[in-house]
Amino acid sequence: MNILQALFFPPEQPGGVSSMVPYIQERFNKLGWQMELFSLPKRVRGKGQEPVTFDTFDISIYEGNPIIDKYLQTYRDYVWWTKLRLNKNYDLIHAHHPIPALVMKQLFPDTPLVMTIHSSYERELILNGKIIEGGLEHKFLTSIYREIESKADRILTASESFRNYMRPYVKDADRIVVIPNGFDEKRFKPISHENAVVQLITVCRLVPAKGLDILLHACAQLKERGQPFVLHIIGDGPIRPELELLAQQLNLYDDIIFYGYMLHPEEFMPFFDVFVLPSRAEAFGSVFAEAALCWLALIGTNVGGIAEQIDDGINGLLVEPENPTALANALEKVVSDPDFRYNMARAAWNKAKRAYSLQRVIAQLKQVYTEIKPDPEEADADSEVDTEELE
């Protein structure tokens, strides 16, 4: 089977889709399945000129809004780039963002389409203060889910929580298949180490949705309680200057290291002790599984896919979002008790190896693909096996 994995931008950022899709391609290619990746280069801007139309709602009522116009222009650019670069047919297309999904169905209407919805763009914009809930942009972006439902042969998502999130925006959420993300274990190499001072680490884009302001306030409380630590922040984003200023105001600047963007943080994480990220929302939260595979104790918020990964008190600690004191209490537990920290990290590693195996993802995707587009050669092979059994 010849499959196209259609991404939004090139897979160069750590975490989420980028941590998984190239490794999926590698595994399928080793199995003899042809699989290619396709994405829109970031240099392509303002090229597309074709009008955009959808079947399930009238987009003309949304045009003229800057955020929506930018979204529609990106759609046009993806059409332009796809027409320019794709000149062959595929047995199946698997898209990982609404724009490539809808563009591929527009240009290749007879090719089966699988769509994985990894996260909520509109929820991220709301949490980052870019749009308001119930506003024009929110209505437009949530209308996209119904359009995808009408076009895709199968919709996938990474958590039960996110399937429930989509329920108000689609006709039949129960048809959405949940396939949690999986990770290539060979990328993660836990290292036996003993730090004199507990090393905390977080890895994320520096945006309001990740709740790093809450983390800094919690760390300030932890310091006031006399608990020593160092917090390492890997990632970059628009609020980095605000976070650095807040660290100074909270008398934390000497206790925090801002690293900026790092391509392969999983090579760095095994040297630390605790992974903490108080996100305000997460569809899945791939970085928690990655941290678990590095043998780190986990602390996260009781939201979305994080709550599906962490069994509170067993393989990590869950706290409510927007609560610095609760987060400080959780941090104090793991910082002050090395045995508790070690046991949680071991339990997190065991669960991640069992539940978030890349091999499990490959098997589940293979089943989805063959249900939608049966492979004649495999069908013939199955028939031969059945015949031999009858004889």
Side-chain angles (χ1 to χ4, degrees), residues 31-52:
L31 291 172
W33 293 45
Q34 292 179 293
M35 185 172 283
E36 301 172 31
L37 305 186
F38 183 82
S39 58
L40 180 71
K42 293 187 177 181
R43 69 180 184 273
V44 176
R45 291 290 189 278
K47 298 291 187 180
Q49 301 298 323
E50 294 186 23
V52 181

PDB file of all heavy atoms in Angstrom, residues 31-52:
ATOM      1  N   LEU A  31       8.307  -2.489   7.038  1.00  0.00           N
ATOM      2  CA  LEU A  31       7.328  -3.564   6.822  1.00  0.00           C
ATOM      3  C   LEU A  31       7.011  -3.770   5.343  1.00  0.00           C
ATOM      4  O   LEU A  31       6.241  -4.664   4.991  1.00  0.00           O
ATOM      5  CB  LEU A  31       6.026  -3.231   7.567  1.00  0.00           C
ATOM      6  CG  LEU A  31       6.071  -3.273   9.096  1.00  0.00           C
ATOM      7  CD1 LEU A  31       4.769  -2.733   9.683  1.00  0.00           C
ATOM      8  CD2 LEU A  31       6.333  -4.690   9.602  1.00  0.00           C
ATOM      9  N   GLY A  32       7.598  -2.936   4.487  1.00  0.00           N
ATOM     10  CA  GLY A  32       7.351  -3.058   3.056  1.00  0.00           C
ATOM     11  C   GLY A  32       6.216  -2.187   2.549  1.00  0.00           C
ATOM     12  O   GLY A  32       5.837  -2.278   1.384  1.00  0.00           O
ATOM     13  N   TRP A  33       5.661  -1.350   3.417  1.00  0.00           N
ATOM     14  CA  TRP A  33       4.628  -0.407   3.000  1.00  0.00           C
ATOM     15  C   TRP A  33       5.312   0.872   2.532  1.00  0.00           C
ATOM     16  O   TRP A  33       6.203   1.390   3.191  1.00  0.00           O
ATOM     17  CB  TRP A  33       3.690  -0.070   4.160  1.00  0.00           C
ATOM     18  CG  TRP A  33       2.834  -1.199   4.633  1.00  0.00           C
ATOM     19  CD1 TRP A  33       3.222  -2.486   4.865  1.00  0.00           C
ATOM     20  CD2 TRP A  33       1.449  -1.135   4.974  1.00  0.00           C
ATOM     21  NE1 TRP A  33       2.163  -3.225   5.320  1.00  0.00           N
ATOM     22  CE2 TRP A  33       1.061  -2.416   5.395  1.00  0.00           C
ATOM     23  CE3 TRP A  33       0.507  -0.115   4.954  1.00  0.00           C
ATOM     24  CZ2 TRP A  33      -0.231  -2.711   5.805  1.00  0.00           C
ATOM     25  CZ3 TRP A  33      -0.785  -0.397   5.374  1.00  0.00           C
ATOM     26  CH2 TRP A  33      -1.150  -1.681   5.782  1.00  0.00           C
ATOM     27  N   GLN A  34       4.880   1.402   1.410  1.00  0.00           N
ATOM     28  CA  GLN A  34       5.429   2.664   0.935  1.00  0.00           C
ATOM     29  C   GLN A  34       4.727   3.816   1.659  1.00  0.00           C
ATOM     30  O   GLN A  34       3.499   3.898   1.659  1.00  0.00           O
ATOM     31  CB  GLN A  34       5.224   2.809  -0.570  1.00  0.00           C
ATOM     32  CG  GLN A  34       6.047   1.834  -1.409  1.00  0.00           C
ATOM     33  CD  GLN A  34       5.768   2.022  -2.891  1.00  0.00           C
ATOM     34  OE1 GLN A  34       4.673   1.750  -3.382  1.00  0.00           O
ATOM     35  NE2 GLN A  34       6.757   2.504  -3.600  1.00  0.00           N
ATOM     36  N   MET A  35       5.509   4.693   2.259  1.00  0.00           N
ATOM     37  CA  MET A  35       4.931   5.814   2.990  1.00  0.00           C
ATOM     38  C   MET A  35       5.805   7.040   2.803  1.00  0.00           C
ATOM     39  O   MET A  35       7.024   6.973   2.929  1.00  0.00           O
ATOM     40  CB  MET A  35       4.793   5.461   4.472  1.00  0.00           C
ATOM     41  CG  MET A  35       4.080   6.517   5.300  1.00  0.00           C
ATOM     42  SD  MET A  35       3.742   5.954   6.997  1.00  0.00           S
ATOM     43  CE  MET A  35       2.325   4.860   6.736  1.00  0.00           C
ATOM     44  N   GLU A  36       5.180   8.159   2.472  1.00  0.00           N
ATOM     45  CA  GLU A  36       5.892   9.415   2.279  1.00  0.00           C
ATOM     46  C   GLU A  36       5.293  10.495   3.173  1.00  0.00           C
ATOM     47  O   GLU A  36       4.128  10.413   3.565  1.00  0.00           O
ATOM     48  CB  GLU A  36       5.790   9.865   0.814  1.00  0.00           C
ATOM     49  CG  GLU A  36       6.360   8.870  -0.187  1.00  0.00           C
ATOM     50  CD  GLU A  36       6.065   9.276  -1.622  1.00  0.00           C
ATOM     51  OE1 GLU A  36       5.977  10.499  -1.890  1.00  0.00           O
ATOM     52  OE2 GLU A  36       5.909   8.385  -2.470  1.00  0.00           O
ATOM     53  N   LEU A  37       6.110  11.509   3.488  1.00  0.00           N
ATOM     54  CA  LEU A  37       5.648  12.662   4.251  1.00  0.00           C
ATOM     55  C   LEU A  37       5.519  13.867   3.326  1.00  0.00           C
ATOM     56  O   LEU A  37       6.316  14.046   2.412  1.00  0.00           O
ATOM     57  CB  LEU A  37       6.629  13.006   5.372  1.00  0.00           C
ATOM     58  CG  LEU A  37       7.003  11.916   6.365  1.00  0.00           C
ATOM     59  CD1 LEU A  37       7.864  12.500   7.476  1.00  0.00           C
ATOM     60  CD2 LEU A  37       5.776  11.249   6.948  1.00  0.00           C
ATOM     61  N   PHE A  38       4.506  14.689   3.583  1.00  0.00           N
ATOM     62  CA  PHE A  38       4.298  15.905   2.798  1.00  0.00           C
ATOM     63  C   PHE A  38       3.860  17.014   3.740  1.00  0.00           C
ATOM     64  O   PHE A  38       3.069  16.788   4.657  1.00  0.00           O
ATOM     65  CB  PHE A  38       3.216  15.668   1.733  1.00  0.00           C
ATOM     66  CG  PHE A  38       2.989  16.858   0.836  1.00  0.00           C
ATOM     67  CD1 PHE A  38       3.824  17.094  -0.236  1.00  0.00           C
ATOM     68  CD2 PHE A  38       1.940  17.735   1.071  1.00  0.00           C
ATOM     69  CE1 PHE A  38       3.628  18.184  -1.067  1.00  0.00           C
ATOM     70  CE2 PHE A  38       1.726  18.833   0.255  1.00  0.00           C
ATOM     71  CZ  PHE A  38       2.577  19.059  -0.830  1.00  0.00           C
ATOM     72  N   SER A  39       4.403  18.219   3.526  1.00  0.00           N
ATOM     73  CA  SER A  39       4.032  19.343   4.379  1.00  0.00           C
ATOM     74  C   SER A  39       4.242  20.645   3.624  1.00  0.00           C
ATOM     75  O   SER A  39       4.819  20.675   2.533  1.00  0.00           O
ATOM     76  CB  SER A  39       4.869  19.337   5.668  1.00  0.00           C
ATOM     77  OG  SER A  39       6.247  19.403   5.357  1.00  0.00           O
ATOM     78  N   LEU A  40       3.757  21.720   4.222  1.00  0.00           N
ATOM     79  CA  LEU A  40       3.859  23.050   3.630  1.00  0.00           C
ATOM     80  C   LEU A  40       5.095  23.755   4.188  1.00  0.00           C
ATOM     81  O   LEU A  40       5.176  23.986   5.399  1.00  0.00           O
ATOM     82  CB  LEU A  40       2.604  23.859   3.961  1.00  0.00           C
ATOM     83  CG  LEU A  40       2.534  25.282   3.422  1.00  0.00           C
ATOM     84  CD1 LEU A  40       2.348  25.273   1.908  1.00  0.00           C
ATOM     85  CD2 LEU A  40       1.383  26.046   4.087  1.00  0.00           C
ATOM     86  N   PRO A  41       6.067  24.103   3.349  1.00  0.00           N
ATOM     87  CA  PRO A  41       7.242  24.824   3.859  1.00  0.00           C
ATOM     88  C   PRO A  41       6.838  26.168   4.460  1.00  0.00           C
ATOM     89  O   PRO A  41       5.919  26.830   3.969  1.00  0.00           O
ATOM     90  CB  PRO A  41       8.109  25.022   2.615  1.00  0.00           C
ATOM     91  CG  PRO A  41       7.611  24.027   1.621  1.00  0.00           C
ATOM     92  CD  PRO A  41       6.153  23.847   1.904  1.00  0.00           C
ATOM     93  N   LYS A  42       7.530  26.585   5.499  1.00  0.00           N
ATOM     94  CA  LYS A  42       7.178  27.839   6.153  1.00  0.00           C
ATOM     95  C   LYS A  42       7.456  29.059   5.272  1.00  0.00           C
ATOM     96  O   LYS A  42       6.927  30.138   5.529  1.00  0.00           O
ATOM     97  CB  LYS A  42       7.925  27.952   7.484  1.00  0.00           C
ATOM     98  CG  LYS A  42       7.459  26.918   8.489  1.00  0.00           C
ATOM     99  CD  LYS A  42       8.069  27.134   9.857  1.00  0.00           C
ATOM    100  CE  LYS A  42       7.503  26.113  10.850  1.00  0.00           C
ATOM    101  NZ  LYS A  42       8.033  26.291  12.210  1.00  0.00           N
ATOM    102  N   ARG A  43       8.265  28.871   4.232  1.00  0.00           N
ATOM    103  CA  ARG A  43       8.551  29.996   3.342  1.00  0.00           C
ATOM    104  C   ARG A  43       7.406  30.291   2.376  1.00  0.00           C
ATOM    105  O   ARG A  43       7.381  31.352   1.747  1.00  0.00           O
ATOM    106  CB  ARG A  43       9.821  29.719   2.538  1.00  0.00           C
ATOM    107  CG  ARG A  43       9.670  28.597   1.505  1.00  0.00           C
ATOM    108  CD  ARG A  43      10.936  28.352   0.717  1.00  0.00           C
ATOM    109  NE  ARG A  43      10.749  27.351  -0.317  1.00  0.00           N
ATOM    110  CZ  ARG A  43      10.886  26.065  -0.131  1.00  0.00           C
ATOM    111  NH1 ARG A  43      11.203  25.604   1.077  1.00  0.00           N
ATOM    112  NH2 ARG A  43      10.710  25.202  -1.126  1.00  0.00           N
ATOM    113  N   VAL A  44       6.468  29.344   2.231  1.00  0.00           N
ATOM    114  CA  VAL A  44       5.356  29.529   1.302  1.00  0.00           C
ATOM    115  C   VAL A  44       4.279  30.366   1.977  1.00  0.00           C
ATOM    116  O   VAL A  44       3.597  29.897   2.894  1.00  0.00           O
ATOM    117  CB  VAL A  44       4.777  28.169   0.836  1.00  0.00           C
ATOM    118  CG1 VAL A  44       3.551  28.391  -0.050  1.00  0.00           C
ATOM    119  CG2 VAL A  44       5.833  27.381   0.083  1.00  0.00           C
ATOM    120  N   ARG A  45       4.122  31.597   1.528  1.00  0.00           N
ATOM    121  CA  ARG A  45       3.136  32.518   2.095  1.00  0.00           C
ATOM    122  C   ARG A  45       2.520  33.355   0.978  1.00  0.00           C
ATOM    123  O   ARG A  45       3.235  33.889   0.126  1.00  0.00           O
ATOM    124  CB  ARG A  45       3.791  33.465   3.112  1.00  0.00           C
ATOM    125  CG  ARG A  45       4.250  32.817   4.396  1.00  0.00           C
ATOM    126  CD  ARG A  45       3.055  32.394   5.265  1.00  0.00           C
ATOM    127  NE  ARG A  45       3.478  31.954   6.584  1.00  0.00           N
ATOM    128  CZ  ARG A  45       3.925  30.741   6.852  1.00  0.00           C
ATOM    129  NH1 ARG A  45       3.992  29.851   5.886  1.00  0.00           N
ATOM    130  NH2 ARG A  45       4.297  30.414   8.077  1.00  0.00           N
ATOM    131  N   GLY A  46       1.207  33.434   0.968  1.00  0.00           N
ATOM    132  CA  GLY A  46       0.522  34.312   0.032  1.00  0.00           C
ATOM    133  C   GLY A  46       0.570  33.875  -1.417  1.00  0.00           C
ATOM    134  O   GLY A  46       0.381  34.702  -2.322  1.00  0.00           O
ATOM    135  N   LYS A  47       0.788  32.583  -1.668  1.00  0.00           N
ATOM    136  CA  LYS A  47       0.877  32.086  -3.049  1.00  0.00           C
ATOM    137  C   LYS A  47      -0.481  31.698  -3.612  1.00  0.00           C
ATOM    138  O   LYS A  47      -0.769  31.903  -4.779  1.00  0.00           O
ATOM    139  CB  LYS A  47       1.815  30.880  -3.100  1.00  0.00           C
ATOM    140  CG  LYS A  47       3.245  31.165  -2.687  1.00  0.00           C
ATOM    141  CD  LYS A  47       3.955  32.030  -3.689  1.00  0.00           C
ATOM    142  CE  LYS A  47       5.433  32.161  -3.353  1.00  0.00           C
ATOM    143  NZ  LYS A  47       6.149  33.011  -4.313  1.00  0.00           N
ATOM    144  N   GLY A  48      -1.314  31.073  -2.786  1.00  0.00           N
ATOM    145  CA  GLY A  48      -2.587  30.560  -3.278  1.00  0.00           C
ATOM    146  C   GLY A  48      -3.602  31.652  -3.544  1.00  0.00           C
ATOM    147  O   GLY A  48      -3.699  32.627  -2.788  1.00  0.00           O
ATOM    148  N   GLN A  49      -4.370  31.479  -4.615  1.00  0.00           N
ATOM    149  CA  GLN A  49      -5.360  32.480  -5.000  1.00  0.00           C
ATOM    150  C   GLN A  49      -6.767  31.909  -5.172  1.00  0.00           C
ATOM    151  O   GLN A  49      -7.724  32.661  -5.342  1.00  0.00           O
ATOM    152  CB  GLN A  49      -4.938  33.147  -6.325  1.00  0.00           C
ATOM    153  CG  GLN A  49      -3.578  33.826  -6.276  1.00  0.00           C
ATOM    154  CD  GLN A  49      -3.526  34.972  -5.275  1.00  0.00           C
ATOM    155  OE1 GLN A  49      -4.492  35.711  -5.111  1.00  0.00           O
ATOM    156  NE2 GLN A  49      -2.387  35.124  -4.595  1.00  0.00           N
ATOM    157  N   GLU A  50      -6.895  30.584  -5.136  1.00  0.00           N
ATOM    158  CA  GLU A  50      -8.194  29.972  -5.425  1.00  0.00           C
ATOM    159  C   GLU A  50      -9.200  30.242  -4.302  1.00  0.00           C
ATOM    160  O   GLU A  50      -8.827  30.317  -3.130  1.00  0.00           O
ATOM    161  CB  GLU A  50      -8.043  28.453  -5.601  1.00  0.00           C
ATOM    162  CG  GLU A  50      -7.237  28.053  -6.825  1.00  0.00           C
ATOM    163  CD  GLU A  50      -7.250  26.548  -7.032  1.00  0.00           C
ATOM    164  OE1 GLU A  50      -8.186  25.896  -6.528  1.00  0.00           O
ATOM    165  OE2 GLU A  50      -6.329  26.046  -7.695  1.00  0.00           O
ATOM    166  N   PRO A  51     -10.475  30.389  -4.663  1.00  0.00           N
ATOM    167  CA  PRO A  51     -11.495  30.566  -3.616  1.00  0.00           C
ATOM    168  C   PRO A  51     -11.635  29.295  -2.781  1.00  0.00           C
ATOM    169  O   PRO A  51     -11.395  28.186  -3.268  1.00  0.00           O
ATOM    170  CB  PRO A  51     -12.769  30.845  -4.410  1.00  0.00           C
ATOM    171  CG  PRO A  51     -12.529  30.264  -5.763  1.00  0.00           C
ATOM    172  CD  PRO A  51     -11.061  30.408  -6.022  1.00  0.00           C
ATOM    173  N   VAL A  52     -12.017  29.458  -1.514  1.00  0.00           N
ATOM    174  CA  VAL A  52     -12.202  28.327  -0.593  1.00  0.00           C
ATOM    175  C   VAL A  52     -13.695  28.165  -0.334  1.00  0.00           C
ATOM    176  O   VAL A  52     -14.391  29.141  -0.023  1.00  0.00           O
ATOM    177  CB  VAL A  52     -11.471  28.570   0.740  1.00  0.00           C
ATOM    178  CG1 VAL A  52     -11.662  27.374   1.677  1.00  0.00           C
ATOM    179  CG2 VAL A  52      -9.989  28.827   0.499  1.00  0.00           C
TER     180      VAL A  52
END
